Amino acid sequence: MQGLLNAFSYQIRLNPEIPHKLPTTKTGLLTQKPELVFPRRNCLNAISSASVDAQGGEEEEAKGTMDWELEFLGELDNKKKNQPTSKLLQETEGMDWCLRARKTALKSIQAKGWSHRMEDMITKKRKKKKNKKKLTPKEKMSKKSKQLLQDFDSDENFDTQDIDALDGSIDLRRTVSMLGGGMFEEKKEKTMEDFVQRLSQFSGPSDRKKEINLNKAIVEAQTAEEVLEVTAETIMAVGKGLSPSPLSPLNIATALHRIAKNMEKVSMLETRRLAFARQREMSMLVGIAMTALPECSAQGISNISWALSKIGGELLYLSEMDRVAEVALTKVGEFNSQNVANIAGAFASMKHSASDLFLELSRRASVIIHAFQEQELAQVLWAFASLHESAEPLLDSLDKVFKDANQFICCPNKEQSNLSLENGVDNIGDLEINGIAHSPVVSFSRDQLGNIAWSYAVLGQMDRSFFPNVWKTLCQFEEQRISEQYREDIMFASQVHLVNQCLKLEYPHLHLSLERDLEEKIARAGKTKRFNQKMTSSFQQEVAHLLVSTGLDWIKEYVVDGYTLDAVVIDKKIAMEIDGPTHFSRNTGVPLGHTILKRRYITAAGWKVVSLSHQEWEELEGGFEQLDYLREILKEHL
């Protein structure tokens, strides 16, 4: 010990109050520690005094240089805090070996000319700290939610911002980026799946009060954004350990339903809906809903399917709708009339085929036919026709229940609800008047009758007993004015015109076609171009350009009884239909109902229909191969 003290004799002096003769043991070791007093050789004071003497612009520059050097040495924070320390903890060059090592590194950095790079690095970090501002509780919650979601994107965070100051930093940054995009992609997906599974454990204990409070918050939210914010905060809390989770299947289905309903309330544009659907929080919510589907009630499945159709339309949620079809198939027996109508309508509006599910929906609808409201019945029939799905059980039940024309009442849209209230019924049930049971009565609106008639035409079932009663009831609108200024009137007129043409061409023996005056009135309104603007796609233009090379005399945009044919050869009665993606089911590629009806009608009118789909055309390579394909499909018709 004495030798150690001698080694630091130039820095250490004994306190005068302590005797110079130190007590020792028999072995020669000190019995107590000496109190050491160190001289104040703090480099901070020396550097600070030097910076004060600088003049003009040199003063600021020197101050900035000294600041980063001090921060590198770890002394700038001590300077700002000015906290008193005990004598034993005062910094000295003799005791702080870490400080000496940093000073040595600093000299090496200055010698190699890296000072300005190190200054940029440290100054940049300091500016980030200064720019931080206090957040409100709501902003803190939102920030925590975003941070949690960012954790799902990658389990490894690489900070490459400061590497730019070093040689070879660009290569290093590129390497790290490649690792983040490839190596950890599989791990990221697995982390997301594990997190969704953790959020979707519905078989454990539950807290009824929390579930009720969350449901209330969801229902009271006024916008889709507010609903998503409430749900995302709960997801974040559950992900951090909130247990039991208030994310019950009911609340998940309610959240999606309220988001879609609020979108409908403000008539949100499709582009905004798609952008909303692609948010991370929304994707998380939909993922949890898919996991929760088997635990959902029949109403929950109905709400989720309806919501997905309104939020994503026909562009999103392809695999999700397959999942809905799979789960709904196991619970069809629990569906009521509203569930059947909503689920069928959702799949039809998204152009998503599900033949097995629709067969079971048809059977279920036939069993509960008396429970259907007029709007629900019209929607179900329209859905089956749109996807061209078989509806035999449903159609059979309608023929059995509605045999008399007196069971049909026609009323304007605005009077339908009043009629239901007056009769005191909310479904197609057996009415009792003065205690006497009567056959069920339905009161359809004009638009509902138009949808039903069109559906029977698409399905090719106009010879059934139910259809003539619908058609005769619809003809009672002869005296009602059909304006060319309203989209609803034009759509109705177009449907009726197509159905009437089918009756004349395919079912003339039924003698159900409209009278001449009404037919002309409907045809004139249905042919207006106000809401029926014909748009020529680039696909149609490309094919039309190559058709010229076939050597045939093609005429584009030829009209046949209200149908516009893309290209025809009149003398040979060849009609070329160039069908884009909107003519086919998005998941199976089979033609949709309106496309099948058009092809069937044009064929019945004596034309040879040649269909060219967008899918087939995309598989061809180059103009020569495309031209050969056109000649091949036209060969059998020439």
Side-chain angles (χ1 to χ4, degrees):
M1 177 61 68
Q2 189 66 34
L4 182 63
L5 294 175
N6 292 336
F8 291 94
S9 60
Y10 69 98
Q11 292 178 344
I12 305 174
R13 55 188 174 87
L14 300 178
N15 193 321
E17 296 179 2
I18 301 178
H20 291 268
K21 185 177 180 181
L22 301 176
T24 61
T25 63
K26 293 180 179 180
T27 58
L29 298 176
L30 295 175
T31 59
Q32 64 181 18
K33 297 179 181 179
E35 182 178 358
L36 305 180
V37 179
F38 304 101
R40 293 180 176 271
R41 293 188 181 181
N42 196 325
C43 62
L44 173 63
N45 298 331
I47 296 175
S48 299
S49 60
S51 62
V52 172
D53 297 334
Q55 300 293 328
E58 296 179 356
E59 179 178 357
E60 293 297 328
E61 182 180 357
K63 185 176 183 302
T65 304
M66 294 305 175
D67 280 349
W68 79 261
E69 291 178 355
L70 291 177
E71 186 168 346
F72 178 78
L73 296 175
E75 297 185 351
L76 188 59
D77 291 339
N78 294 334
K79 174 183 176 182
K80 294 178 179 178
K81 293 179 181 178
N82 291 326
Q83 295 181 350
T85 59
S86 65
K87 293 181 179 180
L88 292 177
L89 295 179
Q90 291 178 354
E91 299 173 340
T92 65
E93 294 179 354
M95 291 187 65
D96 194 351
W97 63 270
C98 182
L99 180 62
R100 293 205 312 273
R102 289 190 178 190
K103 284 188 175 182
T104 302
L106 180 60
K107 291 180 181 179
S108 177
I109 289 173
Q110 292 173 343
K112 293 183 179 181
W114 290 352
S115 300
H116 65 285
R117 298 183 181 179
M118 294 297 296
E119 182 178 0
D120 292 341
M121 287 174 55
I122 296 176
T123 305
K124 193 178 297 181
K125 291 182 178 179
R126 191 189 310 131
K127 287 181 179 179
K128 287 184 179 180
K129 293 181 180 179
K130 290 182 179 180
N131 291 334
K132 287 185 177 179
K133 62 179 181 179
K134 281 191 174 182
L135 301 176
T136 63
K138 185 175 181 181
E139 289 174 336
K140 287 182 180 178
M141 182 64 74
S142 177
K143 184 178 180 181
K144 289 180 181 178
S145 178
K146 291 181 180 179
Q147 182 62 38
L148 180 66
L149 292 169
Q150 288 174 357
D151 292 341
F152 305 138
D153 287 343
S154 177
D155 293 328
E156 302 291 339
N157 294 324
F158 297 94
D159 186 6
T160 59
Q161 184 176 11
D162 297 334
I163 300 179
D164 292 336
L166 303 177
D167 293 336
S169 61
I170 297 177
D171 294 336
L172 179 59
R173 187 172 226 165
R174 185 181 298 111
T175 302
V176 172
S177 177
M178 291 173 62
L179 287 174
M183 179 177 176
F184 300 106
E185 189 67 29
E186 183 178 352
K187 189 174 182 180
K188 179 183 72 174
E189 294 178 358
K190 187 177 184 303
T191 303
M192 175 70 78
E193 292 176 0
D194 293 342
F195 181 75
V196 172
Q197 289 291 339
R198 189 167 72 251
L199 292 177
S200 306
Q201 301 300 322
F202 304 107
S203 57
S206 62
D207 189 331
R208 186 64 178 166
K209 185 176 180 180
K210 288 182 180 178
E211 293 179 5
I212 293 175
N213 290 338
L214 176 59
N215 190 274
K216 183 179 179 181
I218 291 172
V219 173
E220 291 179 350
Q222 298 299 312
T223 64
E225 290 78 8
E226 290 179 6
V227 176
L228 184 58
E229 182 179 357
V230 170
T231 311
E233 290 176 359
T234 306
I235 293 174
M236 180 192 69
V238 174
K240 290 189 174 182
L242 176 63
S243 181
S245 169
L247 289 170
S248 63
L250 172 62
N251 284 339
I252 293 170
T254 303
L256 283 174
H257 183 265
R258 296 297 298 185
I259 288 174
K261 191 172 183 179
N262 287 327
M263 287 181 173
E264 290 287 290
K265 183 172 64 176
V266 297
S267 301
M268 186 180 291
L269 297 176
E270 182 184 27
T271 52
R272 286 194 58 196
R273 296 191 190 210
L274 295 178
F276 187 95
R278 291 188 176 99
Q279 295 182 80
R280 292 179 180 177
E281 297 88 342
M282 189 64 193
S283 299
M284 182 71 68
L285 177 59
V286 173
I288 296 173
M290 294 301 102
T291 306
L293 267 180
E295 305 294 331
C296 289
S297 64
Q299 186 63 43
I301 295 175
S302 171
N303 287 344
I304 290 174
S305 60
W306 179 84
L308 293 180
S309 69
K310 297 300 180 182
I311 298 171
E314 59 189 71
L315 299 178
L316 300 181
Y317 304 133
L318 187 66
S319 60
E320 285 80 1
M321 292 307 291
D322 286 337
R323 170 71 170 167
V324 172
E326 177 186 351
V327 175
L329 195 58
T330 65
K331 296 194 176 186
V332 171
E334 303 174 20
F335 290 166
N336 58 28
S337 59
Q338 184 189 43
N339 302 151
V340 173
N342 284 346
I343 292 176
F347 277 85
S349 63
M350 299 178 81
K351 299 179 180 178
H352 196 102
S353 297
S355 298
D356 293 340
L357 174 61
F358 269 71
L359 178 59
E360 294 302 320
L361 289 178
S362 177
R363 292 172 178 169
R364 178 59 180 170
S366 66
V367 174
I368 58 174
I369 190 64
H370 289 82
F372 275 86
Q373 295 183 5
E374 289 81 0
Q375 175 59 34
E376 294 169 350
L377 183 58
Q379 181 170 321
V380 168
L381 290 172
W382 170 83
F384 274 85
S386 295
L387 294 175
H388 204 259
E389 298 285 0
S390 176
E392 294 296 328
L394 173 58
L395 300 180
D396 289 341
S397 65
L398 290 175
D399 291 340
K400 293 177 182 178
V401 175
F402 302 97
K403 300 177 180 179
D404 191 352
N406 294 326
Q407 294 176 260
F408 293 80
I409 300 176
C410 180
C411 62
N413 297 340
K414 62 182 180 180
E415 295 180 4
Q416 185 182 13
S417 58
N418 295 333
L419 180 62
S420 297
L421 292 174
E422 291 174 1
N423 291 333
V425 295
D426 58 356
N427 53 41
I428 307 174
D430 293 334
L431 298 179
E432 289 191 7
I433 302 176
N434 298 326
I436 302 176
H438 293 266
S439 299
V441 176
V442 287
S443 55
F444 289 115
S445 69
R446 181 199 69 178
D447 295 339
Q448 291 167 0
L449 289 170
N451 282 333
I452 294 174
W454 178 83
S455 301
Y456 270 80
V458 171
L459 296 173
Q461 301 291 333
M462 289 189 287
D463 53 351
R464 284 183 172 269
S465 61
F466 183 79
F467 175 77
N469 293 327
V470 170
W471 187 250
K472 291 175 183 178
T473 305
L474 184 146
C475 292
Q476 296 177 15
F477 285 99
E478 179 178 0
E479 298 179 358
Q480 182 174 342
R481 182 173 181 269
I482 299 178
S483 173
E484 298 181 8
Q485 304 299 319
Y486 299 99
R487 181 181 296 273
E488 294 79 6
D489 289 356
I490 302 304
M491 291 179 62
F492 170 75
S494 299
Q495 286 181 324
V496 174
H497 175 68
L498 294 178
V499 174
N500 187 61
Q501 293 299 111
C502 289
L503 284 171
K504 292 169 60 178
L505 187 62
E506 297 180 306
Y507 299 90
H509 58 282
L510 296 178
H511 305 290
L512 291 175
S513 58
L514 298 176
E515 295 182 3
R516 190 170 190 83
D517 293 342
L518 181 58
E519 180 181 356
E520 292 179 356
K521 181 179 180 181
I522 292 292
R524 185 169 56 253
K527 292 179 181 179
T528 182
K529 296 183 179 180
R530 180 177 177 84
F531 301 107
N532 291 323
Q533 295 293 335
K534 177 67 177 178
M535 302 295 294
T536 303
S537 65
S538 57
F539 170 46
Q540 290 174 321
Q541 293 176 354
E542 182 179 359
V543 175
H545 178 72
L546 288 177
L547 284 176
V548 178
S549 302
T550 61
L552 300 174
D553 187 15
W554 292 96
I555 298 177
K556 296 185 295 183
E557 307 295 336
Y558 189 78
V559 180
V560 176
D561 296 337
Y563 281 115
T564 301
L565 305 182
D566 295 323
V568 299
V569 180
I570 297 179
D571 58 340
K572 296 183 179 295
K573 292 287 254 185
I574 297 176
M576 171 70 75
E577 278 296 282
I578 307 171
D579 297 328
T582 58
H583 292 265
F584 303 93
S585 166
R586 68 172 189 168
N587 61 318
T588 63
V590 299
L592 296 175
H594 67 89
T595 301
I596 291 178
L597 176 62
K598 180 179 180 179
R599 292 180 183 177
R600 194 179 74 227
Y601 181 86
I602 298 302
T603 301
W607 292 83
K608 303 171 186 176
V609 179
V610 180
S611 176
L612 176 63
S613 69
H614 185 265
Q615 295 93 323
E616 296 171 340
W617 193 256
E618 286 295 313
E619 295 176 358
L620 303 175
E621 299 180 0
F624 291 105
E625 187 172 339
Q626 292 170 346
L627 183 58
D628 290 340
Y629 181 76
L630 287 176
R631 288 171 176 166
E632 183 66 27
I633 61 177
L634 290 171
K635 183 187 302 182
E636 58 182 286
H637 299 289
L638 295 177

